[in-house]
Structure formats: structure tokens, C-alpha cells
Amino acid sequence: MTDFTAPTDDILFSLRHVAGAQRAADWDDALASDILGHFAQFAEGVLAPLNAIGDAQGARLVEGRVIMPDGFREAYAQLAEGGWQGLRAPERFGGMEQSALVAAGVSEVFSGANHAMQMVCTLVPGAIETLLHFGTPDQQETWIPRLASGEVLSTMCLTEAGAGSDLSGIRCKAVRDGEGWRLDGEKIFISGGDQDMSRGILHLVLARSGSVEDGLKGLSLFLCSGDDGVTVTRIEEKLGLHASPTCQLAFQDTHAELVGAEGDGLRAMFTVMNHARLDVALQGVAHAARASQIATDYANDRVQGRRKDGSPARLSDHADVQRMLAEQASLAIGARAMCHVAFVEMACGKRPDLVAFLTPLCKVFGSDAGIKAADLGIQILGGYGYLNEYQIGQVWRDARITSIYEGANGIHERSIATRGLKGPGADQFADLIRELGGASDRVSADLADWITWRDRMRAEAEAEHEAHAFAQATARLYFRACWAKCASVADMHPEPSRISGLAERVLSS
């Protein structure tokens, strides 16, 4: 088995030199490097060793409560004690108040070390952001310090048996009870719906406060405690992420508080969802990087065949293996840069329509990159890739969900090709491609073709029929532009020859 090593150098190179983190007002380079280094040590020493254990044991439902695998409670206690759950929370609520860029680096390392545990912890920043934007002062004072300290973890309760991607089918009912509300209904596929790591759970629940005929306008967002009328009726048996309890929850006369305005639940919930979608993209990046690390170490060590001079060859000496290793590495580095550029644009706040256009692109490409890199890793390791010994199979199984949850990739592709083309975001995207890859003839030529396609799509009444092809081409253009930027600053990386060689492959393919 290859021990997990956090890709801190690659992350910092991407943030500093490709995405231009220094443009963000709250970027502190030395502090960012220090925080990421400290978390990397924690992830390598505490979180990563539990990854295989969690996969083998899984979460268990015992007498109505979820029991996490061995070591998870103790690791979470250290995570909370270190203040990591409050990394983004304001200082006045007990948090570190660090930038979203630092949090992006930490999130990738967390996912690469132990995606299942990260899944249970990762909704806290989105919950805090939602309360800051839509919560009352009392709700903020009650919950944000507890979320930041790690005393409480949070969930996002949207999906129901009859309402998956189409939330208009939600039936979970909210009824007024004096100044409060009562919830009745069921939610499925709730990550971290219960666990024994934190002392409490804050559930953010999208429920119907209006009539069914009101559709999405009849949905409101509520918060409630996991201790009050919330029952875990089952946990799902899944392909991967065995240590992340995916729960079915029953709300029975559950006391709840309205978050934001009645009927405005979807807008409030999207604060959590948009954070989650970029986080999913980083999960894909983390899996791509981890798959690349495992495959590279194995290929460099495994003796297989002979060189032309008759001497023993390493697996990495063979041309087809080199091709696959290069594709893995290029996917990880390029997808990471795509995410970081989006995060920096978000931090600068000058082109919000561009950020809205980039978010689904990052989600689609990042998740696909993780799955593809893991699949290549299985091929590189051959028979050992199909066994559990090197964990590459777990990487693929854990990565596979990323193209499904937080909006299936096909839905995001349709959004890119329809709603995404109606606003200024698509024009700003063309400007961004010029900024990143203007020096590359290949990128410039691809951009010209893309603009022609974009303009034709804008005039199409049935543009969604080309949505998949258009979104994939758009993501690939963004990927190549990021790699052109990587090539232009390669000498700032600890291994400039590696970056230059990969860039040449990407830009010539």
C-alpha cells in the first residue's frame, strides 16, 4: 500500500501562479502555506490511516444510532480540537476566519486522505454561510459557535423518494406551531444523517410550507436538532464511501425554525449547494491526485519486462504506461487549476456571472477527472489494481459518486448549454480563456471554434440536445487554457520539467 502524501506543493503552485491568489484581498501567502502544511501533517498521520479501516468496517446502524468505524471518533475529536471545523467561520463566533482559497486547499487534502470522513464534516462551512446570510441573530449565536467548535455537525436534507433532481416533488410538510414550525415527512440519501462523532447535529431541511400547487415557491428552509423528533430508519449499503453514513431520516412532529423568508427556501439552500458543488469538484481532484500517486509509485517500483538493451524494465519504462501516468497527472493538475481559478474569481467578486458559469464546469470536469484517473490507475496496476491491497479500487469506488450527487453531471451540462449561455457569464468565459491561454495557438484556435458554437447554441430552440457535447468541449477548452497558464509559469514549480512535459502533451493532443 502507498501511504497518502498531501500534494501541498502542487496546490500552492496552482493557487499562487496559475489562479493568481494574490489578487484576492484576504490572501496571506505565508499563512496559507503554514496552515496547509499543518493540516497536511494531520491528514497524513491521523486521517489517512483510517481510510482503509473505514472502507472495510463501514458505518453501522445499531438500535437506531449510527456507529462510526474504529478510530473515527478519536480522529474527529482531534480535528475539532485543532479548530479545523471553524476554518472559515468568523472570529466573533470562535472560528479562524480564513479565506475560501485556504479552505479549498484544506478540503482537497482532507478528501484525498479520507473522503468518507470529509463527507460527514464538509457541510459545516455551507451551513455557517447559510446562517450568516439568512439566519436570525439568535440562530447565528446559537448554532455557528457550536458548528465552528466541532460540537455540532450538519446535514443538508433535500432528497425524497419522489423528489431527487426535481425538487418540486418534495412532500415533507412544514406546519406552523405558534411562533415555530413542525416537520413531518421523510428524507433519503442524507450524508452524515447520524453519527457518533459530534455531540449534536444541525439538520437543514427543505420542506413544503405552501401547497403542492405552489411548486418550488412553496418550499422553505428550516433548521432542527437531531435530538428532537428525527429518527434514522436505515443507512444505505453503497458501492463506496462505506464509512460515510448515508441515512434515511423520518421527521415526526419535529420542532423546527424557519431560516430566511417563507417560500424562499430554495435560494437559501443553494448557498449550501453551491459550496458543495465546488467541494465535489475538489473531491474529484483529490481522487485524481491520489490515483496518480498510487499508480506512479507502483509503476516506478514494479519490475516488468525488459528494455531494448535487455536489462530489466520498470513498469514506468513502457510507453503505454507512461501515457496513462501522464494522463492521470495532467487531469489532477489541470482540474485543480480550473477549481482554483473559479475560487479566486469568487474571492475577487468582480465577475459573479463568470463564477456561476465556471461552477458547473468545475463540478463536471473535476468529478469526471477523479473517476477517469482512478480507472487508469486500476489499469496500470493490472491484477493488483483489481485487488484491495493498493487501495486504487477504493479510490475508484469512492470517486464514482461525485458525478452523481450535488446535481448529476448531465443536469449541469444542460445548465451550461442553456441557462449558462443567456447571461454575460459565457462572454466573460471567453475573456478568461484569453487571459489564461492567449499565448497558446492551440487554445486560441479552440476558442474561436467555441465562440462560433456558443453563438449558434444561443440561437437554438432545442440547445439541450447538444448539451453534453457542448459542455464537454467547454470544459476541455477551460482545461487546456489552464494548462497553457501552467506552462507559462512552469519554472516556479519545484519540478518545472514535469509541468512543461505534461503541458506539451495536453496542448498537442
Side-chain angles (χ1 to χ4, degrees):
M1 185 180 74
T2 300
D3 290 338
F4 171 76
T5 301
T8 50
D9 284 343
D10 284 352
I11 291 171
L12 289 170
F13 166 76
S14 180
L15 284 169
R16 290 166 173 162
H17 307 303
V18 182
Q22 64 276 7
R23 293 188 290 120
D26 56 356
W27 175 257
D28 183 323
D29 191 85
L31 182 60
S33 179
D34 188 49
I35 289 174
L36 189 58
H38 275 84
F39 188 80
Q41 289 181 339
F42 175 68
E44 292 167 357
V46 178
L47 300 176
L50 297 176
N51 196 37
I53 295 171
D55 184 57
Q57 292 185 4
R60 297 174 293 122
L61 185 61
V62 179
E63 297 180 352
R65 290 303 310 272
V66 171
I67 307 299
M68 298 294 284
D70 293 346
F72 274 59
R73 288 184 65 182
E74 293 78 7
Y76 179 75
Q78 294 183 57
L79 183 82
E81 185 179 355
W84 297 109
Q85 287 298 96
L87 183 65
R88 291 276 289 127
E91 288 185 0
R92 71 181 187 275
F93 292 117
M96 296 188 196
E97 204 164 341
Q98 291 302 310
S99 73
L101 305 182
V102 172
V106 168
S107 183
E108 182 191 331
V109 172
F110 199 161
S111 296
N114 195 323
H115 182 183
M117 186 169 179
Q118 190 260 3
M119 274 291 295
V120 182
C121 301
T122 191
L123 289 174
V124 164
I128 290 174
E129 193 72 14
T130 299
L131 291 173
L132 287 172
H133 280 86
F134 298 98
T136 65
D138 183 62
Q139 288 170 341
Q140 294 173 1
E141 293 290 341
T142 299
W143 289 104
I144 295 180
R146 299 172 69 190
L147 290 164
S149 70
E151 176 189 347
V152 169
L153 285 168
S154 63
T155 71
M156 180 172 64
C157 301
L158 280 78
T159 307
E160 298 177 13
S165 300
D166 181 8
L167 296 177
S168 64
I170 282 178
R171 293 294 183 270
C172 184
K173 187 68 176 176
V175 179
R176 285 187 182 274
D177 180 25
E179 295 184 1
W181 296 77
R182 295 282 175 175
L183 302 181
D184 281 286
E186 290 189 344
K187 295 288 182 178
I188 63 171
F189 299 166
I190 308 305
S191 298
D194 189 38
Q195 35 72 28
D196 61 352
M197 299 190 305
S198 65
R199 291 178 58 187
I201 300 176
L202 169 66
H203 295 295
L204 290 175
V205 186
L206 197 63
R208 185 163 297 286
S209 57
S211 67
V212 175
E213 290 72 24
D214 291 333
L216 296 177
K217 294 181 179 179
L219 300 177
S220 301
L221 184 63
F222 299 88
L223 65 79
C224 62
S225 168
D227 299 326
D228 182 15
V230 183
T231 304
V232 183
T233 57
R234 64 177 287 170
I235 56 174
E236 306 296 344
E237 296 183 9
K238 308 188 298 293
L239 176 70
L241 292 180
H242 295 159
S244 173
T246 302
C247 300
Q248 180 172 313
L249 301 180
F251 296 85
Q252 299 169 312
D253 198 31
T254 304
H255 174 71
E257 297 179 21
L258 181 67
V259 179
E262 185 179 352
D264 201 23
L266 207 57
R267 186 166 72 95
M269 182 60 85
F270 265 101
T271 303
V272 186
M273 293 177 69
N274 285 334
H275 175 275
R277 285 167 178 168
L278 280 175
D279 195 66
V280 170
L282 287 173
Q283 289 169 356
V285 170
H287 285 303
R290 177 63 173 147
S292 177
Q293 180 198 5
I294 294 172
T296 299
D297 287 356
Y298 180 86
N300 287 337
D301 184 65
R302 170 76 163 165
V303 176
Q304 190 74 20
R306 294 190 175 276
R307 300 185 180 94
K308 291 182 178 180
D309 63 4
S311 62
R314 303 288 178 182
L315 198 59
S316 56
D317 292 328
H318 299 287
D320 193 54
V321 174
Q322 292 172 357
R323 172 190 65 81
M324 292 187 285
L325 291 171
E327 185 172 358
Q328 283 184 308
S330 67
L331 285 170
I333 293 169
R336 178 185 294 116
M338 293 165 69
C339 294
H340 287 171
V341 168
F343 272 108
V344 169
E345 285 293 335
M346 185 185 298
C348 291
K350 295 180 180 178
R351 296 189 284 192
D353 294 298
L354 174 60
V355 174
F357 191 82
L358 296 179
T359 296
L361 279 178
C362 291
K363 198 277 184 184
V364 169
F365 193 91
S367 59
D368 283 346
I371 297 166
K372 177 64 173 177
D375 189 70
L376 286 167
I378 293 172
Q379 188 69 22
I380 292 166
L381 269 67
Y384 282 108
Y386 204 65
L387 304 181
N388 293 328
E389 183 175 349
Y390 288 89
Q391 289 187 275
I392 191 71
Q394 183 189 346
V395 176
W396 184 87
R397 288 185 290 103
D398 288 353
R400 188 59 187 85
I401 187 62
T402 60
S403 67
I404 299 171
Y405 63 16
E406 305 309 337
N409 281 5
I411 293 173
H412 288 298
E413 289 175 342
R414 184 178 66 181
S415 172
I416 292 164
T418 54
R419 185 170 63 250
L421 294 184
K422 293 179 180 178
D427 300 307
Q428 293 172 354
F429 175 75
D431 294 337
L432 176 67
I433 298 303
R434 296 185 187 96
E435 294 163 15
L436 291 169
S440 166
D441 292 340
R442 174 61 187 275
V443 172
S444 296
D446 287 350
L447 176 60
D449 291 341
W450 181 84
I451 290 173
T452 300
W453 196 355
R454 177 202 65 187
D455 293 344
R456 180 174 63 79
M457 290 280 283
R458 280 174 164 168
E460 287 282 345
E462 300 292 335
E464 64 183 65
H465 292 296
E466 293 185 69
H468 174 72
F470 179 77
Q472 289 289 319
T474 304
R476 196 73 188 175
L477 172 61
Y478 186 21
F479 175 73
R480 283 203 178 102
C482 285
W483 261 110
K485 181 66 173 181
C486 286
S488 70
V489 295
D491 59 345
M492 299 177 184
H493 191 270
E495 301 175 70
S497 60
R498 168 175 170 251
I499 295 295
S500 297
L502 290 171
E504 185 177 349
R505 281 176 175 266
V506 172
L507 296 173
S508 63
S509 62

